[in-house]
Amino acid sequence: MTHMLFLFLELPAFLFHYLIIRRLFHIKKALFAHFVLLFVSSLIVVMVIFVGDWDNLPATFLLYLAGIQYACTDSRAKKFTLALMLSSTVFAGNIFMDNILENYGNFWMMVLFRTLFSALLYLLVQFWGPEKDTELGDSLWHLLLLLTLAPIGTILSIVLIPPMRAWGPPWLSHLCTALLLLALLSFIGLLWAIAVLSRQRKLEQQSLYAEMNRQYYESMKQQHFEVRRLKHDLSNHLHTILLLPPEEKENYIAHLLESPGLTQRTDYCGDQTVNAVLSVKEQLMQQQNISLRLKLDIPEELPFEKADICVLFANALDNAIESCLAFPPEKRRIEIAARHRKGMLALSVKNPASLALEAGNHLPFTTKSDAKSHGFGLRSMEEIVKHYQGSLEVNSDRQVFELFLYLPEPVKRLKEEKF
């Protein structure tokens, strides 16, 4: 009965820990994965760890690491490193409470301290910790793991090494207390370091995305200009044909008809940037025997940066075209639906799919062999969507892959329209 009461009173503490996991990791959509994380959260928070106890600490370590590896979808290096830091931070607090504070407080004070410790750790992670989208690469995660070994070794030494089994004379007790506090501060510092590295990497990526977006837009604008220029020069071509000898007219006309500028559409909707992208991409689809179905409701110029619109539409279509090439020509089809109404732009791009994905806004990893050089398309789109405070989702049911996003108009523009 006492044990059940203890678990009930500790409920807020392990709920705080579960929220920390949700803040740091991408979790599988399966309900069982959340049950696993709730279980390991309760286990790590309420586990009593005495000095010299070889039963609780190693077993809880392994169960917690296994639970994170199973229930979360991030890279293995990230899951192992962050889980090790997080669990060791909690263990340092538990050792401090169970071996030092227990001599100075009663049952209720211990429960209160565990809850406050978990709440404080949650607040630290919430406001100063790394975001769940943080992905530093395996080399950096391995370096951070190496830096984590020192405070982890300190904790294991205090609990497991034989001379430490008896808390011993006062000087040894004070030494162990100091070491535990240093280990605790080390883990907090490492979490802060991950957040700083994440922000720096994000700034570098944003700079790279901005340059890529600018170059992409300039390229698309130039191609669209060439198409429009060719149509504009049509009258000159007609005058030239009138002056040519009869035997040369046929060759000249045949050469003109081969030009994509005379047959390619340029008026898909009311936004010239979208027109430029679709004009170029439809020509590429025709070359690859990909059928295109359009449903556009964009009556006027969109109130977003032209480079951003270019990247959103172009990258979505590039990914769809690449996916179609894995199928025979008769199955290659792309459906594009876009609508701009009531201060909101919505875009949906569908193409054939062979893999099932869970619905949501967690972007899939690139399937290309050179993963470090690819995957920028969706990431660049995600950065743009976040900038406008919109949403981007991907979903696949083994038959159709859909990318869906929406962007609210900039607040400044909406206010101007009201006035």
Side-chain angles (χ1 to χ4, degrees):
M1 190 66 181
T2 304
H3 185 66
M4 294 298 295
L5 177 63
F6 179 75
L7 289 177
F8 177 76
L9 294 174
E10 294 286 354
L11 181 62
F14 72 74
L15 285 179
F16 275 122
H17 190 85
Y18 171 72
L19 292 176
I20 292 173
I21 295 176
R22 288 177 60 93
R23 174 67 171 75
L24 294 176
F25 300 99
H26 291 99
I27 304 174
K28 293 179 180 178
K29 296 294 183 180
L31 187 61
F32 183 70
H34 291 267
F35 280 126
V36 169
L37 292 179
L38 283 170
F39 170 73
V40 296
S41 296
S42 64
L43 186 67
I44 195 173
V45 168
V46 304
M47 184 58 63
V48 177
I49 301 175
F50 292 116
V51 173
D53 185 357
W54 278 68
D55 297 327
N56 291 343
L57 182 59
T60 309
F61 246 132
L62 293 176
L63 283 173
Y64 186 81
L65 294 176
I68 295 293
Q69 288 289 337
Y70 165 77
C72 302
T73 60
D74 304 89
S75 67
R76 290 183 179 179
K78 174 185 175 180
K79 289 188 289 187
F80 187 75
T81 304
L82 275 181
L84 207 56
M85 288 183 189
L86 190 56
S87 59
S88 299
T89 304
V90 177
F91 284 140
N94 288 357
I95 296 168
F96 184 78
M97 286 181 280
D98 296 332
N99 295 273
I100 299 174
L101 291 185
E102 188 180 37
N103 298 324
Y104 302 97
N106 55 28
F107 170 80
W108 298 104
M109 183 178 292
M110 295 291 293
V111 171
L112 178 62
F113 188 87
R114 287 181 188 272
T115 302
L116 291 176
F117 180 81
S118 297
L120 179 61
L121 185 60
Y122 168 73
L123 291 175
L124 288 172
V125 172
Q126 179 69 22
F127 292 104
W128 291 285
E131 298 179 358
K132 69 167 62 177
D133 291 325
T134 298
E135 192 51 70
L136 302 178
D138 287 351
S139 58
L140 269 179
W141 285 120
H142 292 155
L143 175 60
L144 290 166
L145 178 61
L146 185 63
L147 295 175
T148 308
L149 293 180
I152 290 176
T154 301
I155 290 177
L156 294 177
S157 298
I158 291 173
V159 176
L160 303 180
I161 292 179
M164 297 291 185
R165 289 186 178 181
W167 201 245
W171 67 267
L172 184 57
S173 174
H174 298 327
L175 175 61
C176 291
T177 302
L179 290 175
L180 279 175
L181 292 176
L182 286 174
L184 192 58
L185 290 175
S186 297
F187 292 126
I188 294 173
L190 285 170
L191 286 173
W192 191 10
I194 294 174
V196 172
L197 288 171
S198 173
R199 294 187 187 102
Q200 181 62 30
R201 189 177 181 90
K202 188 174 182 179
L203 289 175
E204 293 174 355
Q205 288 180 340
Q206 287 176 343
S207 177
L208 175 62
Y209 293 153
E211 180 60 21
M212 289 173 60
N213 295 350
R214 187 192 65 79
Q215 293 179 2
Y216 206 158
Y217 174 65
E218 291 298 328
S219 174
M220 299 295 293
K221 187 170 68 173
Q222 181 62 30
Q223 292 183 57
H224 190 56
F225 171 77
E226 293 295 332
V227 172
R228 297 178 66 185
R229 182 183 61 81
L230 185 57
K231 285 193 170 185
H232 181 266
D233 292 342
L234 183 58
S235 61
N236 295 328
H237 289 298
L238 292 175
H239 283 94
T240 302
I241 292 172
L242 289 175
L243 299 175
L244 287 175
E247 61 273 11
E248 296 182 15
K249 288 183 179 180
E250 185 175 346
N251 291 334
Y252 192 89
I253 293 173
H255 176 73
L256 285 179
L257 291 176
E258 291 176 359
S259 174
L262 295 178
T263 57
Q264 196 67 29
R265 289 179 57 188
T266 59
D267 57 347
Y268 299 87
C269 65
D271 185 87
Q272 294 305 313
T273 303
V274 176
N275 289 337
V277 174
L278 292 178
S279 177
V280 175
K281 296 304 178 185
E282 184 176 20
Q283 181 182 351
L284 180 59
M285 293 180 206
Q286 291 172 355
Q287 295 172 357
Q288 301 293 344
N289 297 316
I290 300 174
S291 62
L292 175 64
R293 181 181 178 184
L294 291 170
K295 187 177 180 181
L296 303 180
D297 185 10
I298 304 177
E300 58 185 12
E301 291 288 329
L302 294 171
F304 307 98
E305 291 292 333
K306 293 185 179 298
D308 293 340
I309 292 299
C310 175
V311 170
L312 289 176
F313 277 81
N315 280 326
L317 290 175
D318 283 342
N319 291 334
I321 292 171
E322 183 180 351
S323 298
C324 285
L325 296 181
F327 294 85
E330 63 271 13
K331 292 187 177 181
R332 297 177 184 176
R333 61 185 180 278
I334 295 176
E335 297 181 14
I336 304 172
R339 179 182 177 88
H340 180 232
R341 282 286 186 273
K342 297 181 180 179
M344 188 76 67
L345 170 67
L347 171 65
S348 171
V349 179
K350 297 180 181 179
N351 57 266
S354 58
L355 295 175
L357 294 174
E358 294 176 339
N361 58 2
H362 181 31
L363 300 182
F365 294 106
T366 178
T367 56
K368 298 177 182 178
S369 57
D370 186 9
K372 292 183 179 180
S373 301
H374 297 284
F376 287 106
L378 281 174
R379 299 298 172 189
S380 181
M381 295 175 68
E382 187 180 40
E383 290 295 325
I384 294 172
V385 169
K386 284 183 177 180
H387 172 72
Y388 290 102
Q389 299 181 350
S391 176
L392 186 153
E393 298 180 357
V394 293
N395 184 33
S396 175
D397 58 3
R398 289 190 178 275
Q399 292 183 345
V400 177
F401 177 92
E402 179 181 14
L403 181 146
F404 175 80
L405 64 86
Y406 69 84
L407 298 182
E409 289 186 11
V411 177
K412 182 178 179 181
R413 174 186 167 89
L414 292 176
K415 288 182 178 179
E416 291 175 352
E417 288 182 349
K418 289 182 180 179
F419 287 105

